[in-house]
Structures are given as structure tokens and as C-alpha cells.
Amino acid sequence: MKNWTRLDLNWILVILLAVFALAPLTYPGFFEASSGFLPAFNVANLSDAPNWQGMAGPVRGEGLLPYLLAWPFFALSGSGVVAIKWGYGLAFLAGALGIYAWTRRWLGTKGSVLSATVYTYLPWHLSTVYARGAYAEAWLWAFWPWILWAIDLARGQRLRNTLVGITAGLALLVATLWTQPGLATLALPLFIAYGVMAVSYTHLRAHET
């Protein structure tokens, strides 16, 4: 039986391996991206964010949640740039930890550490932050792995795990819609398909045993 009380140091390893992706965020000033200083302006003006620039729309527009997550750092520092850099950093770490949590059941600890590292350093993941400066999309990269983890948890045999998985999954889906509704809506069918396949696989294994 697995000892759930034992500390899994691989969580720390996943964070340490993601450090190099966060390193540019520690440089003075703000990095040059397609969005410019727009994310920093948004977090500093929450009453008008995220569409104060007049680009509101269900597909192109961003939700307010990612700016709310960065706002405490703006309140502490008084700098929109500092707050957004903290937001990007937390999104990187949350995504890496989410991949580790999701794949650990399938790949084991070593494989899941590797998958978390690959996920962090995928070129299009890094370009979301450092090339396009798409702040809301960076948080989608953080939320999506945890949705997959919640789906796997919900299909378990224990009622408690099922309830936790369903609750967490629904909350995360709402969070993605409040982050970038256009991309979140496009991704929703993929999560539904994954959930159907996961449930089917569970029933198939149950019949085999």
C-alpha cells in the first residue's frame, strides 16, 4: 500500500527544474513582447481591465481572473510590471506541478518529472510569455493540466476522490472561462473527450478484473 504521508520530494525537483524558465523574469525592467506593457497596465487598473484598450470580445478578449491573481503583488510593490512578472512565474510553476500531478499515475515519478520539465520548456509555451506576452494564455497553460488531473481523480473508485475531482474540475473549467473564454471554449470539447475515454477505460478495466 502506498504511503500517502511520505513527503514526495519530486514536487520540489519539478520547481527547481522550472527555475530556468523563470530566470528572465528576474532581470531588471520588463522584457520586450508583442503585448508591450498592456498586461502591466491592466493589473494596475482592474476597474477597466482587461479590455480598457477597446479590444473587448468573447474570443480575443481576456478575462479578469489572471489579473486578480497578480493584483496582490501590485498592492505590495506598487508596480504593474513586478506584479505581472510574478503572475507569469506562478503560472509557469502551477503548470509544471499540474503536469507532474496528472502524469504521475501513468508515468511514475521519474517520467512525470520529465514530462513536467518538457511541458515547461515547450517552445510555444515559452513564446506565449516571452514572445507574445499573452498573460491570460499563460494561465491557461497552468490550469489545463490540473483539469486533466481532476478528470482522472473523478473517475476513481472512491467516492471522496470522485467528489473532489468533480468539484475541482468544475471550478477549474470556470477559472479557464474567466481567464481566456475563447481558447477555453475551444479546449472544452477536448476535455470532454478525454473524460469519456477515461471513464470508458476505467469500466473496461473493471470488467476485465
Side-chain angles (χ1 to χ4, degrees):
M1 180 178 295
K2 187 173 182 178
N3 184 5
W4 294 101
T5 62
R6 187 174 62 182
L7 177 64
D8 185 358
L9 296 178
N10 288 295
W11 293 99
I12 301 175
L13 179 59
V14 168
I15 293 175
L16 292 176
L17 291 172
V19 165
F20 297 104
L22 278 64
L25 300 173
T26 65
Y27 299 164
F30 203 39
F31 53 88
E32 185 176 349
S34 299
S35 63
F37 286 90
L38 184 58
F41 292 149
N42 278 335
V43 76
N45 298 274
L46 282 182
S47 59
D48 298 317
N51 293 306
W52 67 270
Q53 73 277 24
M55 294 175 58
V59 176
R60 296 184 64 186
E62 297 179 335
L64 189 59
L65 178 59
Y67 297 101
L68 290 175
L69 295 173
W71 186 86
F73 300 102
F74 173 75
L76 291 172
S77 67
S79 170
V81 168
V82 171
I84 289 298
K85 289 167 76 173
W86 271 97
Y88 279 131
L90 291 176
F92 268 128
L93 294 179
L97 293 173
I99 285 290
Y100 176 75
W102 171 49
T103 60
R104 184 172 53 170
R105 177 174 180 175
W106 306 100
L107 304 178
T109 55
K110 294 181 180 179
S112 55
V113 168
L114 178 60
S115 64
T117 304
V118 171
Y119 184 79
T120 301
Y121 294 98
L122 285 172
W124 45 90
H125 190 184
L126 294 175
S127 66
T128 297
V129 176
Y130 295 116
R132 295 192 295 115
Y135 179 63
E137 290 181 37
W139 274 101
L140 286 182
W141 283 82
F143 290 137
W144 280 335
W146 286 106
I147 293 177
L148 296 171
W149 166 82
I151 292 173
D152 280 352
L153 187 64
R155 68 183 182 84
Q157 300 296 324
R158 296 183 179 181
L159 178 60
R160 183 182 65 179
N161 290 350
T162 300
L163 293 177
V164 171
I166 291 174
T167 302
L170 292 176
L172 288 163
L173 285 173
V174 171
T176 61
L177 292 171
W178 199 15
T179 296
Q180 221 292 357
L183 291 177
T185 301
L186 290 175
L188 185 59
L190 299 178
F191 291 120
I192 294 175
Y194 178 78
V196 171
M197 289 188 297
V199 171
S200 300
Y201 175 78
T202 299
H203 285 300
L204 180 64
R205 289 293 301 274
H207 285 303
E208 290 179 351
T209 57

